[in-house]
Amino acid sequence: MHTIITVIKKELKDTLRDKKTLFSAIILPALAIPLLLLGVSSLQKSLIDKEKGKELKVVLMNAPEAVAQQFEDETIRLLASQNLDNAKDSVANEVFDAVLVFDSNFKKNVDSLQTGAVQLYYKSTNIMVQRRIEEKLTAYKAVVLKERMATLNIPAPVLEPVRVETINVASAKEQIGETIGGLIPYIFILFCFMGCMYPALDLITGEKERGTIETLLTVPASRFSILIGKTITIALVGVVAAVMTIAGMVIALNLGSGIPPSFMDTIGDMLSVKFILMLFAMLLPLSFFFAGILSAMVVRTSSFKEAQSYVTPMNFVVIVPAMVAMMPGIELNWQLSFVPVLNVALATKEIIAGTIHLGHFAVIVLSLIAFATLSVFISYQQFSQEKNVLK
Amino acid sequence: MIQVEQLSKQYKLTKKQQQELQLKTNSIFAVDDISFVCKPGRVFSLLGPNGAGKTTTLRMIATILKPSKGDVLVSGHSVVNESVEVRRKIGFLTGSTNLYDRLTPEEIVKYFADLYGMSKSDFKERKELLFEQLGINDFLKKRIGQLSTGMKQKVSIARSMIHDPQVVIFDEPTSGLDVITANSIIELIRNCKKEGKTVIFSSHIMSEVDLLCDDLAIINKGKLIYSNTMEAYRQISANQSLTETFIQLVQQNQAQ
């Protein structure tokens, strides 16, 4: 025990002085979600606003007066062009944003209660143009429809035989669980793994690369205790990374103005002591599982480069089950409770939604502890082989 | 006291390694049935060309590697059955050892003292003595990464001597060091001898051996080809330099 604590103290001090670890385990996870949420959403918003306010250059050909009226808008500049081919080219070259060609019988058809045809030329790379033009045409359609109903003396309900009112009985908690519930575990599992990765390389392979391992093997302290001390340090950094991710998420949600207050209350409720305890009960063994696997993988490597080439593909192994959990229709059951990573992701969703089955939860925690023990055992076996430990 | 008794280290070879080395056997002896004794208060030198098995032998004495056959008794404890006891008695230093760059000299020495299970008062006393002797106090709080090679070597020495070992094992301790820095190692070996410790070091620098050693052994291709006192070795090389005698002995062995 004394050795384990000695090793943890030393390794933590060493690790926390390393800027690379600090960045990948603490700063990056803490900033990731705030940046993602605030950055992307505000960027998207500003782009959309910019697109909306942008002046559109539109050519109307053979347009009836009533239609042209709808396009009288300060953000739309109507231009004239007589030649369709030239106009089409101009759309392709982005001189014009859109060209609308009305059928020669358009007005006649519309007036005689028939369908008038109009062709809209636009460039598909800009979806906002299409949307804005269609808005105008829809407005015109509504005007014509209203006139026709008045002429034919049709009351409005005739055209609306069914009106559906949707009432979602899922609580706000369940809705959040379903929508962002999948994303939360995905991100913290990923950062937990990445948090373990760098220290594993540094504490195991680094010791070999620097040639410090030899001296370490001549001390009377047991090799098992030394390895356990190292594994605990690696797992701790992983847990810290996951915690930082969640903390970052809480901060981001508090800053984000787009969320209705009722949802904010629910999110506040979700971050209850119970939620945090349940999350930690899974996170700890998960982190040890990662630490054990990563150590076992890198023990035989003798340089950082070599170790990285083994470990980098593992990212995918972790990402895939975490992504599967985001798919709709996948729910926690007895079988999936035994699948590491996937079980944590699914359970987190259910804990957020408040629908977690305690039996499943127990199986998850116990199976993770079993997997973590196994992975640490394998890593110890690898560590005990002299051909692995020495360069 | 180190008693090396019929010590062997055998490595299995993969098919690919067999082809590369053009060998028909599926194993190779890095160290093959060697025996010698290092006595307390004397400096024992292990000589041999590159790849002779010096490092492997020293690693087996230091319990880093397990012998395939034979045994080593360090202060009466077997490296095979009582490795923990052996580790308490030995201090191990290699020329290639590095330190943890992000820790300070004090933190590194404390870490090893804790791994040796030293009491606080023992550590303090021993640390003050070593740091004073080696002049580490000048850069006590600097991180290893900021130190020069010579300073690092001093910290390495303090680290391997902190628990006051009875037996010290040096694997090419001066390789890659300038003469001034190498001198600190030579001083250390002299001090160890004065204190009555058992010292074994490997080298291929004859001047160092001439300066320090009382007994020597030469190994080549894993086999012991010469073992005697330094006196006796000086006698057989009466008409030539010590290095020439060394080369001659190795070449004679290779011709056989």
Side-chain angles (χ1 to χ4, degrees):
Chain A
M1 203 56 204
H2 172 77
T3 306
I4 298 179
I5 293 169
T6 302
V7 174
I8 296 175
K9 270 190 346 206
K10 178 259 164 186
E11 296 294 10
L12 269 184
K13 198 184 284 171
D14 200 354
T15 302
L16 291 179
R17 283 184 189 168
D18 182 20
K19 290 197 185 81
K20 278 182 274 183
T21 310
L22 275 185
F23 181 74
S24 72
I26 296 174
I27 299 170
L28 189 66
L31 293 180
I33 299 200
L35 286 182
L36 210 70
L37 280 182
L38 302 179
V40 173
S41 70
S42 64
L43 184 72
Q44 200 179 12
K45 198 161 168 275
S46 82
L47 281 180
I48 290 176
D49 285 349
K50 202 178 146 202
E51 272 306 317
K52 272 189 183 156
K54 199 183 105 179
E55 193 187 59
L56 284 188
K57 297 188 190 77
V58 179
V59 173
L60 300 179
M61 288 182 167
N62 312 327
E65 184 58 23
V67 181
Q69 261 174 18
Q70 291 296 335
F71 282 84
E72 275 167 19
D73 186 324
E74 56 192 22
T75 63
I76 292 178
R77 179 143 52 114
L78 291 177
L79 298 164
S81 174
Q82 299 308 318
N83 187 322
L84 180 58
D85 288 333
N86 286 349
K88 272 200 270 186
D89 285 346
S90 301
V91 173
N93 299 332
E94 296 181 17
V95 177
F96 297 154
D97 293 297
V99 173
L100 285 120
V101 184
F102 293 82
D103 191 60
S104 51
N105 296 325
F106 186 88
K107 192 172 182 335
K108 208 177 97 194
N109 285 351
V110 170
D111 287 345
S112 57
L113 303 182
Q114 300 290 311
T115 303
V118 57
Q119 285 168 314
L120 164 62
Y121 294 90
Y122 74 106
K123 203 167 174 182
S124 71
T125 49
N126 195 338
I127 194 149
M128 282 304 288
V129 173
Q130 185 198 357
R131 222 182 273 170
R132 284 171 65 187
I133 300 287
E134 277 176 0
E135 255 169 41
K136 301 291 174 200
L137 291 174
T138 310
Y140 170 69
K141 250 163 58 182
V143 171
V144 175
L145 207 59
K146 211 173 166 190
E147 280 172 12
R148 287 182 179 183
M149 279 155 70
T151 322
L152 298 171
N153 207 8
I154 301 169
V158 174
L159 290 181
E160 196 191 4
V162 178
R163 182 192 292 160
V164 184
E165 277 178 39
T166 54
I167 299 118
N168 192 345
V169 294
S171 63
K173 226 176 148 179
E174 283 172 280
Q175 289 179 42
I176 294 175
E178 202 45 49
T179 48
I180 60 166
L183 189 71
I184 294 171
Y186 172 77
I187 294 176
F188 77 70
I189 288 173
L190 199 64
F191 277 113
C192 177
F193 181 78
M194 278 167 47
C196 290
M197 203 161 99
Y198 195 78
L201 258 62
D202 197 39
L203 268 54
I204 311 272
T205 310
E207 193 95 52
K208 276 171 82 179
E209 193 171 23
R210 287 188 297 265
T212 43
I213 188 93
E214 257 179 78
T215 347
L216 199 57
L217 295 178
T218 62
V219 299
S222 91
R223 292 180 188 182
F224 183 70
S225 306
I226 293 176
L227 183 73
I228 291 293
K230 284 177 177 286
T231 311
I232 292 176
T233 313
I234 298 168
L236 268 181
V237 178
V239 170
V240 168
V243 170
M244 292 310 286
T245 316
I246 296 168
M249 188 151 38
V250 174
I251 293 166
L253 288 173
N254 280 316
L255 292 176
S257 51
I259 299 157
S262 65
F263 265 49
M264 268 323 293
D265 290 346
T266 324
I267 289 166
D269 286 350
M270 266 164 31
L271 295 165
S272 61
V273 179
K274 190 179 151 205
F275 170 78
I276 289 168
L277 283 181
M278 285 179 97
L279 201 61
F280 266 88
M282 297 189 297
L283 253 180
L284 273 176
L286 181 74
S287 204
F288 273 93
F289 173 61
F290 286 157
I293 286 195
L294 285 168
S295 312
M297 284 182 79
V298 300
V299 159
R300 49 179 71 222
T301 61
S302 49
S303 74
F304 253 73
K305 262 190 182 168
E306 194 189 353
Q308 254 167 346
S309 66
Y310 278 110
V311 165
T312 312
M314 279 296 288
N315 267 317
F316 291 98
V317 180
V318 175
I319 288 175
V320 170
M323 260 167 78
V324 168
M326 284 206 287
M327 290 179 185
I330 300 226
E331 281 187 7
L332 193 59
N333 57 31
W334 291 110
Q335 287 84 25
L336 293 182
S337 298
F338 286 97
V339 184
V341 182
L342 179 60
N343 57 8
V344 175
L346 289 173
T348 310
K349 248 166 96 170
E350 301 224 2
I351 294 172
I352 292 172
T355 53
I356 184 84
H357 184 291
L358 280 179
H360 286 160
F361 183 72
V363 169
I364 292 172
V365 173
L366 293 176
S367 72
L368 281 175
I369 292 175
F371 274 117
T373 314
L374 185 71
S375 72
V376 172
F377 179 72
I378 293 171
S379 118
Y380 175 61
Q381 282 213 316
Q382 297 280 329
F383 194 67
S384 319
Q385 290 179 30
E386 48 189 45
K387 71 169 182 336
N388 283 346
V389 182
L390 292 172
K391 245 186 179 179
Chain B
M1 180 88 127
I2 305 171
Q3 293 153 275
V4 177
E5 293 165 356
Q6 297 179 310
L7 190 68
S8 296
K9 182 70 187 176
Q10 193 174 12
Y11 285 108
K12 286 209 172 92
L13 294 174
T14 61
K15 285 241 164 81
K16 201 180 160 197
Q17 285 170 324
Q18 275 181 49
Q19 279 172 358
E20 279 169 3
L21 295 167
Q22 297 184 322
L23 287 172
K24 283 186 181 149
T25 49
N26 61 0
S27 67
I28 190 171
F29 280 95
V31 172
D32 192 358
D33 195 25
I34 64 171
S35 304
F36 57 81
V37 176
C38 318
K39 295 179 191 111
R42 288 176 80 83
V43 177
F44 190 100
S45 172
L46 195 61
L47 288 158
N50 289 334
K54 300 188 296 286
T55 298
T56 309
T57 306
L58 294 182
R59 280 178 173 178
M60 283 191 279
I61 299 173
T63 75
I64 299 170
L65 292 175
K66 277 207 172 77
S68 309
K69 266 184 234 151
D71 201 348
V72 181
L73 298 181
V74 177
S75 302
H77 298 287
S78 152
V79 296
V80 180
N81 303 316
E82 302 163 283
S83 57
V84 175
E85 284 305 310
V86 173
R87 287 174 196 158
R88 279 189 221 286
K89 308 280 184 219
I90 57 167
F92 182 78
L93 181 69
T94 83
S96 60
T97 306
N98 277 312
L99 296 161
Y100 304 103
D101 274 354
R102 293 185 292 270
L103 298 185
T104 66
E106 196 170 16
E107 287 164 346
I108 287 183
V109 174
K110 175 87 175 87
Y111 177 49
F112 278 86
D114 284 343
L115 290 176
Y116 279 107
M118 288 176 78
S119 73
K120 263 189 187 157
S121 57
D122 281 355
F123 166 68
K124 196 165 174 269
E125 198 181 306
R126 188 78 189 144
K127 184 192 85 175
E128 277 168 9
L129 179 78
L130 282 171
F131 280 21
E132 179 65 42
Q133 270 179 7
L134 293 161
I136 293 177
N137 288 320
D138 303 340
F139 48 88
L140 204 59
K141 304 278 178 206
K142 273 193 178 174
R143 293 201 187 164
I144 297 296
Q146 300 167 328
L147 301 182
S148 71
T149 314
M151 290 168 168
K152 282 183 193 167
Q153 195 61 26
K154 285 177 178 175
V155 179
S156 288
I157 294 171
R159 194 233 329 103
S160 48
M161 304 304 289
I162 185 70
H163 57 301
D164 200 8
Q166 293 173 9
V167 172
V168 278
I169 304 162
F170 296 119
D171 186 13
E172 303 201 349
T174 56
S175 77
L177 298 181
D178 63 59
V179 275
I180 306 291
T181 319
N183 196 48
S184 67
I185 303 274
I186 289 165
E187 279 301 307
L188 171 72
I189 293 178
R190 281 201 178 125
N191 282 336
C192 288
K193 187 182 162 180
K194 252 188 248 165
E195 289 165 24
K197 296 184 196 299
T198 308
V199 180
I200 180 167
F201 81 98
S202 70
S203 180
H204 48 236
I205 304 166
M206 244 348 177
S207 59
E208 244 174 51
V209 175
D210 190 26
L211 208 60
L212 291 167
C213 106
D214 301 302
D215 301 295
L216 86 165
I218 300 175
I219 58 172
N220 187 35
K221 291 183 179 170
K223 288 200 163 70
L224 192 72
I225 58 172
Y226 184 85
S227 178
N228 212 326
T229 61
M230 196 60 200
E231 294 277 298
Y233 183 77
R234 283 202 185 95
Q235 273 172 16
I236 63 162
S237 59
N239 301 322
Q240 52 191 1
S241 74
L242 298 172
T243 308
E244 279 167 343
T245 314
F246 169 63
I247 294 170
Q248 204 183 349
L249 281 167
V250 172
Q251 278 174 346
Q252 274 170 11
N253 173 258
Q254 245 147 4
Q256 279 167 19

